[in-house]
């Protein structure tokens, strides 16, 4: 059973703070993803990674960065949090390769920036 | 890039009736179309998917149909039950395993 865990379920931060969101998967998946979920907008891809130390921008990368130093861990960094980054953040992983498309999601982190 | 449109945004049906959610996509090269279900307060989970070499796939009360010519695919839920109440997301794949999601449909089953 694939397990994707996220470091916090709820987080409250102040404007301008640096914020770290951690994601860990335990199934040796190649691919990892960070999304934000907002009502009426679905899941929008922020960044993704196909391999250790590799990262690619998604559809809304502005104001975010990522780090993947180990295969099982993918971190999302908000360099200077702003109120418009208040959202639900979901991490996901997928096996990769042929037919390894299914994405497994973590429980989400609800971030509030005040 | 790929764009996925999902309709309707909300859907309310009587228990036992059928529900249909529709999605259109823009990239003719897309070849994988999953549907995710997200119950209140929980993570999205894959419920069914279809690849472009297949026109229809069924799993008990749920089915997905794909029309590659028209670039649309649909989720069909028959004999709906209260536990089907959730938000449903369609998606299509863009490039190497990057999913583009629709906006979501909130399905409510009325007893």
């Amino acid at each position: 059973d694939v397990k994707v865990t996220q470091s916090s379920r709820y987080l409250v931060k102040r404007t301008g703070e640096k914020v770290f969101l951690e994601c860990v998967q335990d199934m040796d998946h190649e691919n990892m993803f960070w999304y934000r979920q907002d009502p009426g907008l679905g899941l929008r891809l922020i960044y993704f990674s196909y391999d250790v130390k590799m990262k690619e921008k998604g559809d809304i990368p502005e104001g975010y960065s990522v780090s993947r130093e180990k295969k099982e861990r993918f971190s999302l960094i908000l360099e200077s949090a702003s109120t418009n980054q208040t959202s639900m953040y979901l991490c996901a992983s997928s096996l990769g390769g042929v037919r390894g498309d299914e994405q497994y999601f973590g429980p989400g982190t609800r971030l509030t920036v005040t | 890039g790929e764009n996925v449109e999902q309709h309707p945004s909300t859907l309310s049906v009587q228990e036992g009736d059928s529900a249909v959610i529709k999605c259109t996509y823009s990239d003719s090269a897309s070849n994988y179309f999953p549907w995710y279900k997200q119950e209140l307060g929980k993570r999205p989970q894959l419920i069914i998917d279809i690849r472009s070499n297949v026109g229809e796939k069924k799993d008990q009360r749920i089915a997905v149909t794909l029309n590659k010519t028209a670039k649309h695919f649909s989720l069909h839920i028959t004999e709906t039950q209260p536990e089907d109440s959730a938000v449903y997301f369609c998606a299509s794949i863009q490039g190497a395993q990057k999913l583009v999601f629709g906006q979501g449909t909130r399905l409510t089953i009325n007893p």
Side-chain angles (χ1 to χ4, degrees):
Chain A
D1 215 19
V2 177
K3 280 215 177 88
V4 182
T5 57
Q6 295 182 227
S7 49
S8 307
R9 290 301 304 271
Y10 300 94
L11 211 51
V12 180
K13 295 291 181 181
R14 293 191 181 278
T15 302
E17 279 192 86
K18 191 167 186 175
V19 182
F20 293 86
L21 302 182
E22 301 280 331
C23 176
V24 177
Q25 49 92 6
D26 68 354
M27 283 301 289
D28 203 34
H29 281 181
E30 298 292 329
N31 305 331
M32 296 189 76
F33 308 84
W34 273 107
Y35 296 91
R36 64 177 282 177
Q37 182 176 18
D38 300 288
L41 297 178
L43 284 77
R44 293 181 292 166
L45 183 63
I46 305 171
Y47 266 97
F48 58 105
S49 170
Y50 293 141
D51 201 354
V52 175
K53 295 193 186 293
M54 176 272 171
K55 60 186 178 186
E56 284 201 32
K57 292 180 180 179
D59 300 316
I60 51 165
E62 296 79 18
Y64 304 94
S65 62
V66 290
S67 172
R68 194 168 181 198
E69 295 296 319
K70 293 186 178 181
K71 190 175 186 180
E72 67 271 18
R73 189 179 298 269
F74 193 35
S75 302
L76 179 69
I77 303 150
L78 286 67
E79 296 290 342
S80 176
S82 64
T83 54
N84 62 13
Q85 293 179 309
T86 291
S87 187
M88 171 67 85
Y89 290 87
L90 288 163
C91 173
S93 70
S94 67
L95 179 62
V98 176
R99 306 219 165 226
D101 302 306
E102 179 180 354
Q103 292 191 12
Y104 297 82
F105 285 85
T109 296
R110 184 164 294 282
L111 172 67
T112 302
V113 182
T114 61
Chain B
E2 173 73 294
N3 185 44
V4 177
E5 295 288 331
Q6 182 173 347
H7 299 281
S9 57
T10 60
L11 181 59
S12 184
V13 302
Q14 289 298 121
E15 184 177 352
D17 288 351
S18 295
V20 181
I21 303 170
K22 299 183 179 182
C23 289
T24 60
Y25 61 98
S26 59
D27 188 352
S28 56
S30 295
N31 61 6
Y32 174 67
F33 307 92
W35 286 89
Y36 284 80
K37 175 184 180 182
Q38 186 177 29
E39 296 177 25
L40 190 62
K42 296 193 175 178
R43 67 192 77 190
Q45 290 195 296
L46 181 74
I47 55 170
I48 195 167
D49 57 12
I50 192 168
R51 295 193 183 271
S52 57
N53 56 347
V54 175
E56 182 176 0
K57 185 176 177 181
K58 270 188 176 180
D59 183 3
Q60 299 181 1
R61 294 186 299 107
I62 60 172
V64 56
T65 58
L66 172 65
N67 183 327
K68 283 215 76 180
T69 304
K71 288 191 276 188
H72 67 70
F73 57 112
S74 301
L75 178 71
H76 304 253
I77 306 174
T78 58
E79 300 171 18
T80 53
Q81 300 169 5
E83 54 264 36
D84 295 328
S85 292
V87 178
Y88 292 80
F89 293 98
C90 64
S92 74
I93 205 152
Q94 178 187 20
Q97 296 166 343
K98 174 186 158 187
L99 290 178
V100 178
F101 286 86
Q103 297 84 353
T105 296
R106 182 174 299 280
L107 175 62
T108 303
I109 308 302
N110 301 310

